[in-house]
Structure formats: structure tokens, C-alpha cells
Amino acid sequence: MANLAGQPMMQIERAEIVAGEGIIGDRYAAGLGAFSANKPKIRHVSLIALSGIADANQQLLANQHAPFGAGDTRRNIVIDHFSADELNNLVGRTFYLGGLAFKGTELCVPCQRPAKLLARPDFINAFEARGGIRAEALTSGVLNAGDLLTLTIAKEK
């Protein structure tokens, strides 16, 4: 998360999610993101697959470009057990992170923002089809690092 547009992303172990808003303290939940003034889009959270970052970095390294770290992608949540394609397929679907419900709203099409902030123009091509998704927060609660993404909520015992 980042508190203001353009600030470096901060890794946190615990995030408070507010339904209809996003991560408390994040730039988009506060309406301070770089694209907050644009036509209204649901930007409560953004997710990217760790495997998608790895694939993009392989492409970058093969072309003798520097790799991007997870925070460099400007996404809120990094998922390590889904492929980029599996994550992309969540657009229009409800899924759960740590028991909290989210709905995939759109693909995060790679843009110039991360490239400009890092002065590295190779982001768009490397992250084509693996830039992650945006999602709507449907329930409020606490999300912890390592919470699993599932398509069904676990039944209580």
C-alpha cells in the first residue's frame, strides 16, 4: 500500500479492509491515488500473481533489462499460489482472501505509471496480460499476509 500517489509501496503484515472502500490508509481508499480523479472505477484493492512477476522478470532479464520487485508493480496484494491467467479469470467473480469477500472488477492493464516512477520504460511490455486485477471489497475485516485466495469461503466447524 502507499499513503499518497507516487509514494513507494509499503509492505504490511496486516491490513484493515473496509467494504466499499479498500485498505485503510491506502491512497485509493482515501481518494488520493494518481487515478482517483479519473472517471470512477472500483480500485478498492489490486492483486498481482507472484508467478506473473517472475515471468515478466524473465522476459526483462532476457532483454538485459532490470527486473521489477513486487512493490514496483504498484499492486496492493501479491498472490503466490495462482498463475497470472488464473488471477485474470477472477474478473467478474467473487473470491475470498482470508475469509473476506472480494469481486474482481477489471484487469490492471499495464500503464506508464510504474515505468515513470522508476524511470524504466520496460514495464508495459513485460507485464502485458500479467498486470493483475482490481477488485471490489465486499466485506470488512482484517487481511493478514499469507491469507489464501479461494473461490469458496471455508465452512465453520
Side-chain angles (χ1 to χ4, degrees), residues 48 50 53 57 66-74 78 118 120 123 127:
I48 192 165
L50 187 59
I53 297 170
N57 283 337
F68 283 83
D72 296 337
T73 67
R74 313 286 303 158
V78 178
L118 298 168
R120 293 184 22 221
F123 184 83
F127 283 89

Side-chain angles (χ1 to χ4, degrees), residues 51-126:
S51 65
I53 297 170
D55 291 344
N57 283 337
Q58 280 185 325
Q59 178 182 325
L60 289 165
L61 291 169
N63 292 314
Q64 299 182 0
H65 293 282
F68 283 83
D72 296 337
T73 67
R74 313 286 303 158
R75 306 300 183 251
N76 299 122
I77 302 168
V78 178
I79 302 296
D80 67 358
H81 61 284
F82 270 63
S83 70
D85 287 339
E86 289 170 323
L87 191 62
N88 290 349
N89 288 333
L90 295 179
V91 172
R93 297 182 67 185
T94 298
F95 59 90
Y96 301 87
L97 276 170
L100 301 180
F102 295 87
K103 183 174 183 179
T105 57
E106 68 178 337
L107 296 177
C108 289
V109 177
C111 67
Q112 292 289 352
R113 185 78 175 149
K116 285 181 180 177
L117 289 172
L118 298 168
R120 293 184 22 221
D122 41 12
F123 184 83
I124 290 177
N125 291 332

Side-chain angles (χ1 to χ4, degrees), residues 3-63:
N3 298 76
L4 296 170
Q7 283 190 338
M9 298 294 283
M10 298 178 294
Q11 182 175 341
I12 58 175
E13 295 296 314
R14 186 174 189 273
E16 189 171 342
I17 307 293
V18 175
E21 292 182 22
I23 301 171
I24 290 181
D26 184 63
R27 65 209 185 277
Y28 284 104
L32 301 172
F35 300 104
S36 290
N38 291 2
K39 63 181 180 177
K41 285 189 175 185
I42 295 174
R43 298 178 186 272
H44 299 169
V45 297
S46 57
L47 302 90
I48 192 165
L50 187 59
S51 65
I53 297 170
D55 291 344
N57 283 337
Q58 280 185 325
Q59 178 182 325
L60 289 165
L61 291 169
N63 292 314

Side-chain angles (χ1 to χ4, degrees), residues 133-153:
I133 66 170
R134 289 185 188 88
E136 177 180 9
L138 300 176
T139 56
S140 299
V142 174
L143 186 62
N144 293 294
D147 282 347
L148 294 179
L149 187 153
T150 61
L151 297 178
T152 58
I153 193 161

